[in-house]
Amino acid sequence: MPDVFAHFQAAYLDQLRRTYYASEYVNTPRGNPSRERLGVSFRIEDPVQRHVWLPSRRTNIIFNFAEALWYLSGSDRLDFIGYYAPSIANYSKDGETLAGTAYGPRIFHHGGGATPTNQWDSVLATLREDYDSKRAVMQIFEGAELTVPGNIDVACTLALQFMIRDDALHGVGFMRANDAFRGVVSDVFSFTFLLEMMATQLGLPVGTYIHQVGSFHVYESDATWGHRVLREAENVAGRTLAEAPPFPRMPAEDNWPHVREVLRLEELLRTDTVRLDAVALAGLDLPGYWRDVVALFEIQRQLRHRTKVDAYVVAALPDLYYDLVITKWPQLRSEPDTDAA
């Protein structure tokens, strides 16, 4: 039976603590010393609460949204995701695309060639035909990845499974390996985001999410930072996620039209083709949930293109996003100039 937690932060801290302090193995895969546990599994009762809010962890909420939407775009382009995480370029063989890290092509164009499989549509059709199906699976890992000499980008995720039980959509993520300090934060965010996206398309509430990992590990290069996060968690013992602002929920409707518009705006912002102030953001023809995501991408534009920080855009963020953003980038903490308004 998997360990059960109300929300992701509780699961994250518990599993990180056990991997950090009570690892089963110490090894050095590809020259990287790490502590490891095998066969880890945990369940999140409310996977919409998919974030880690402890200040010492400095969660990058903008990257989290960008990665999830990169998957939904079906793209393997480095220029998209590398804009939000420049170091990811280290995993690109040609400097233009990513292979194992890019799950979008595997989800929407599985198999490639002249007749690829859209696994998203296939899963939807399977669940609509049989609510009790156990076959709604998206395959991510490909065995052929291991036959590529010197492959620096092998998919960590094996598959994602979706099941309707008790009139809710539940998800299971299967991983061959997962970084218990860094990677799990972005992976659980993305997978539960996809779960919520599919649930809204099916007109169902989100159920639980189960995360299953073959090798769950902490790299020694992150040991000091990880220890600091765990110490902070101990010092705030008794605090619960309920005391922090909740993670917003997607509109209860098919969100694909909104995602397509957000992706269009994301590219314009990423290339500094458009700039959106608070008034322009408020006027977007999008639900508030998605306008806030675009606002995050506008803040990333300001940071990356070194234009003036618009305090009104930052101040208008939902409380949770605001807290995470100013913790990650303290220079964004400034009050709007009301005299100039």
Side-chain angles (χ1 to χ4, degrees), residues 223-291:
T224 300
W225 188 4
H227 181 67
R228 187 163 62 248
V229 170
L230 291 173
R231 286 295 302 273
E232 181 187 15
E234 293 171 1
N235 291 336
V236 297
R239 290 185 64 183
T240 66
L241 192 65
E243 296 175 25
F247 201 95
R249 295 180 182 272
M250 285 184 197
E253 61 194 62
D254 183 355
N255 282 278
W256 272 109
H258 310 318
V259 165
R260 295 187 184 99
E261 176 62 6
V262 170
L263 287 170
R264 184 186 74 83
L265 292 168
E266 183 280 331
E267 182 176 11
L268 294 174
L269 292 167
R270 172 164 36 94
T271 56
D272 201 23
T273 303
V274 300
R275 300 179 178 186
L276 300 173
D277 60 17
V279 174
L281 285 164
L284 293 176
D285 186 19
L286 285 168
Y289 178 95
W290 295 107
R291 287 199 302 270

Side-chain angles (χ1 to χ4, degrees), residues 104-119 139-140 142:
R106 299 173 186 232
I107 293 172
F108 297 99
H109 311 285
H110 187 262
T115 57
T117 299
N118 185 322
Q119 295 194 94
Q139 179 182 333
I140 305 297
E142 298 284 356

Side-chain angles (χ1 to χ4, degrees), residues 316-339:
L317 291 172
D319 290 345
L320 175 65
Y321 299 172
Y322 177 83
D323 289 347
L324 293 174
V325 163
I326 63 171
T327 298
K328 179 68 176 176
W329 297 280
Q331 69 270 32
L332 296 177
R333 187 192 296 270
S334 61
E335 296 296 327
D337 184 357
T338 54
D339 292 336

